[in-house]
């Protein structure tokens, strides 16, 4: 009663004698208790409704993620898919001025500080069109070192591995937001609106992070163990070797799907 009908409760107490061990009785006490109980049930209902609304926002986002996963798993050739991601990541980097230190840092980060295709000074001098075209050609040349089936499988594994890892991190961050979002109500702010706004910005950042990590993995992929480019069969051992050298494990979901598709 103190929490949900404090005004009535304090008014009632001020008219009564000091507290004793005797229970309080009377129609007014019952009335106050009924109002307090109704207020608590309404509060609990709002909490449950709010949680369902939060879950609906996450559900819509997860559907987009599953659609992206299924998209690359279903692709026979992942080359165009990967090139689109690389273009989206490298174009803004090479759009920066050559004297901008952020450009040099971004290029180093893109190649993980190793295996730069040419000297950093030369790369920073490239404009947006030149830099994008250069790295696309770099990717295409590296891709030709693998047989067609193996490189498609490697790229599927890399993308699935990246998006799954980052999705887990994203969900942890969302839980932190949900824990503190209830305080927004005290400031007369709709918690759902705040949650939608914050998670929308976080989701866009999540997508950008996934694409950056995937592009970095693709551009720093280790060389194949064999130079035989004429093989027309999926080399499962080659896929596992590349994933292992990159500190990853091949995704069983992708392998099973591809096996069914080839059979």
């Amino acid at each position: 009663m103190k929490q949900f009908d404090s005004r009535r409760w304090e008014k009632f107490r001020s008219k009564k004698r000091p507290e004793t061990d005797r229970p309080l009785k009377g129609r007014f006490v019952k009335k106050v208790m009924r109002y307090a109980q109704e207020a608590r049930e309404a509060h609990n209902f709002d909490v449950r409704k709010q949680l369902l609304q939060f879950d609906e926002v996450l559900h819509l986002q997860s559907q987009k993620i599953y659609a992206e996963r299924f998209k690359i798993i279903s692709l026979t050739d992942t080359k165009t898919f990967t090139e689109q991601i690389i273009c989206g990541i490298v174009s803004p980097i090479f759009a920066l001025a050559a004297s901008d230190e952020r450009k040099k840092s971004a290029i180093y980060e893109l190649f993980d500080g190793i295996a730069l295709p040419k000297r950093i000074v030369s790369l920073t001098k490239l404009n947006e069109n030149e830099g994008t075209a250069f790295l696309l050609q770099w990717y295409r040349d590296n891709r030709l070192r693998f047989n067609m089936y193996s490189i498609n499988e490697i790229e599927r594994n890399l993308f699935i591995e990246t998006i799954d890892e980052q999705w887990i991190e994203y969900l942890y961050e969302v839980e932190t937001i949900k824990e503190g979002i209830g305080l927004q109500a005290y400031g007369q702010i709709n918690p759902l609106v705040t949650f939608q706004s914050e998670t929308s910005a976080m989701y866009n950042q999540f997508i950008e992070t996934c694409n950056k990590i995937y592009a970095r993995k693709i551009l720093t992929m280790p060389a194949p163990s064999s130079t035989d480019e004429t093989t027309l069969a999926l080399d499962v051992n080659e896929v596992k070797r590349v994933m292992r050298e990159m500190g990853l494990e091949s995704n069983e979901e992708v392998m099973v799907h591809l096996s069914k598709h080839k059979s």
Side-chain angles (χ1 to χ4, degrees):
M1 288 191 293
K2 289 181 180 180
Q3 180 180 358
F4 292 96
D5 205 348
S6 59
R7 185 178 60 82
R8 290 172 181 266
W9 175 248
E10 293 299 330
K11 183 178 179 180
F12 173 76
R13 283 193 57 189
S14 65
K15 295 180 180 181
K16 293 293 181 180
R17 294 178 297 178
E19 293 185 5
T20 64
D21 295 335
R22 297 175 58 186
L24 296 175
K25 297 180 180 181
R27 287 181 298 176
F28 185 77
V29 175
K30 293 181 180 179
K31 187 176 181 181
V32 172
M33 290 182 66
R34 185 175 70 252
Y35 284 147
Q37 182 65 26
E38 290 175 354
R40 172 173 283 278
E41 290 176 357
H43 172 74
N44 291 339
F45 174 79
D46 289 339
V47 170
R48 291 192 296 269
K49 180 180 178 181
Q50 189 179 91
L51 291 175
L52 289 174
Q53 291 171 331
F54 290 171
D55 289 342
E56 180 62 24
V57 173
L58 287 176
H59 175 69
L60 294 175
Q61 293 178 349
S62 66
Q63 291 297 102
K64 296 178 182 178
I65 296 301
Y66 286 125
E68 284 297 307
R69 295 175 86 258
F70 182 76
K71 178 181 177 181
I72 193 169
I73 290 175
S74 303
L75 288 176
T76 304
D77 188 348
T78 58
K79 180 174 177 286
T80 302
F81 177 88
T82 301
E83 286 185 349
Q84 290 175 348
I85 292 180
I86 292 176
C87 285
I89 295 300
V90 304
S91 292
I93 295 176
F94 286 98
L96 297 172
S99 58
D100 196 330
E101 285 297 320
R102 293 178 300 171
K103 186 173 187 177
K104 183 186 294 185
S105 299
I107 293 174
Y108 268 122
E109 182 182 357
L110 186 62
F111 283 90
D112 209 16
I114 58 174
L116 292 175
K118 61 166 59 177
R119 295 179 60 191
I120 188 65
V121 176
S122 301
L123 288 173
T124 54
K125 292 180 180 179
L126 299 177
N127 60 31
E128 182 177 356
N129 292 333
E130 294 171 343
T132 302
F134 174 78
L135 287 188
L136 280 179
Q137 190 59 49
W138 167 266
Y139 159 70
R140 291 164 185 161
D141 292 342
N142 287 343
R143 202 175 195 275
L144 291 175
R145 298 183 303 172
F146 297 85
N147 75 65
M148 181 181 65
Y149 293 104
S150 293
I151 189 59
N152 288 332
E153 179 64 10
I154 290 170
E155 289 181 353
R156 288 189 191 92
N157 275 278
L158 289 177
F159 185 81
I160 295 297
E161 185 81 19
T162 300
I163 204 170
D164 286 353
E165 288 178 351
Q166 295 305 310
W167 180 247
I168 293 173
E169 295 295 327
Y170 174 77
L171 291 180
Y172 280 132
E173 294 177 4
V174 168
E175 285 302 315
T176 303
I177 296 294
K178 289 170 67 174
E179 290 175 2
I181 206 76
L183 299 176
Q184 300 286 342
Y186 293 103
Q188 303 300 313
I189 301 175
N190 188 337
L192 178 61
V193 174
T194 303
F195 181 79
Q196 289 175 327
S197 175
E198 293 190 12
T199 53
S200 177
M202 289 172 57
Y203 180 79
N204 292 335
Q205 182 62 42
F206 157 76
I207 294 297
E208 183 178 355
T209 300
C210 287
N211 290 342
K212 281 183 177 180
I213 294 175
Y214 177 64
R216 184 190 308 137
K217 289 177 179 178
I218 291 297
L219 294 174
T220 59
M221 190 185 308
S225 58
S226 173
T227 58
D228 183 9
E229 300 173 3
T230 62
T231 305
L232 297 180
L234 172 64
D235 190 343
V236 176
N237 292 329
E238 180 69 6
V239 173
K240 292 182 177 180
R241 183 195 65 80
V242 172
M243 298 297 291
R244 189 164 53 249
E245 287 189 17
M246 300 185 73
L248 306 170
E249 292 294 336
S250 55
N251 192 283
E252 292 299 327
E253 178 184 359
V254 180
M255 301 294 285
V256 170
H257 178 88
L258 187 62
S259 299
K260 290 181 179 179
H261 177 75
K262 289 181 68 62
S263 59

